[in-house]
Structure formats: C-alpha cells, structure tokens
Amino acid sequence: MDFPGLELKIRMTLVAGPDARVFVPVRLYYTDSDPYAVQFSFDVTPDEVVRWTFARELLDQGLITPAGIGDVKITPIGPHRNCGFSIELESPGGYARLEGPAASVKAWLAKTFEVVPAGRESESVDIDSFLDELLTH
C-alpha cells in the first residue's frame, strides 16, 4: 500500500500548574508502516519538540474511558466525558499533562481505522523487511 499517512494538527492546553496553562500546537500522525501506533508531538519551545509514540488502541480507549498504566495515560474529560480528553506523559526526563478537544481526535482516529481496521494491523506489517533490516544492524 502506498499511503502517505494521516496527520492532525490541533491546539491543546499544557497544564503547568493549578493556575498555569499554556496553549501548544500538537501533531498526531498515523501511517500504515507502523499500524499499531500513533505518533504524538508538541512544541515545548520553538526549538524543542517532544515526541511520543504509543498504541493506537490506547488512544481509542482513552477517549472513552481512562486508559494507560505506564508512561502514557489518557482520560476523557468534560461534563459528559466526551467533550475533551487529557493525556499524561511521564518519563525520567519529566512529566506533562495536556488537555484538548476530543471530537477532532475521534474523527481523525476513525480515519486511521478506515485505512487499517482494528484487528487487521498485522496485514500491514512487512515482517520480512523488518527482520532483514534488524539483522543487518
């Protein structure tokens, strides 16, 4: 499949404290070359971009009900738990919590499932090429 990928650019709020909130541009990206994952990045400063890759299924679940037990936790927020979502990212280098609109992410995520339906991700993975590349390094 010759698929360039799906990208979503949104603005989220970086929650830096009880009274400190900063709008940051966020980019979500999906490609069928890594069908199980989504890439999530945001600009901390004009020169510093934070990038995370995590399971597409985690994002899908987290928009509906709290999900994640490790470095990435996603939770729906809002009066009916469907208006927005928060994502918490934690690593030895730091912690960040962002909040954003759920509707645009849900619509984008639905497009990723049109490209590679849930349960059919393995059909998009070229295991032979992956092993060839892995074994040559």
Side-chain angles (χ1 to χ4, degrees), residues 25-40:
V26 171
R27 177 180 175 258
L28 290 123
Y29 188 75
Y30 179 80
T31 181
D32 65 347
S33 64
D34 190 1
Y36 292 100
V38 294
Q39 297 170 16
F40 180 92

Side-chain angles (χ1 to χ4, degrees), residues 6-136:
L6 291 171
E7 180 179 61
L8 174 66
K9 292 180 180 179
I10 58 172
R11 237 174 53 159
M12 293 185 74
T13 304
L14 177 63
V15 181
D19 298 325
R21 294 174 172 270
V22 179
F23 288 113
V24 294
V26 171
R27 177 180 175 258
L28 290 123
Y29 188 75
Y30 179 80
T31 181
D32 65 347
S33 64
D34 190 1
Y36 292 100
V38 294
Q39 297 170 16
F40 180 92
S41 63
F42 63 95
D43 300 338
V44 177
T45 68
D47 298 325
E48 183 182 359
V49 177
V50 174
R51 291 182 177 85
W52 285 76
T53 300
F54 52 86
R56 177 175 69 158
E57 183 179 347
L58 174 64
L59 180 59
D60 188 39
Q61 290 175 353
L63 292 171
I64 300 165
T65 187
I69 57 171
D71 298 341
V72 179
K73 296 178 185 87
I74 303 172
T75 306
I77 57 174
H80 302 288
R81 298 182 66 107
N82 64 357
C83 298
F85 74 104
S86 77
I87 182 166
E88 295 179 69
L89 306 166
E90 189 168 1
S91 73
Y95 170 85
R97 178 170 177 236
L98 294 105
E99 296 178 350
S104 56
V105 176
K106 286 178 181 179
W108 173 82
L109 196 57
K111 290 177 187 175
T112 74
F113 286 112
E114 289 173 14
V115 173
V116 179
R120 298 189 56 196
E121 293 90 350
S122 64
E123 296 172 17
S124 295
V125 178
D126 184 353
I127 297 294
D128 292 332
S129 294
F130 174 75
L131 290 174
D132 286 344
E133 185 170 328
L134 184 65
L135 295 174
T136 59

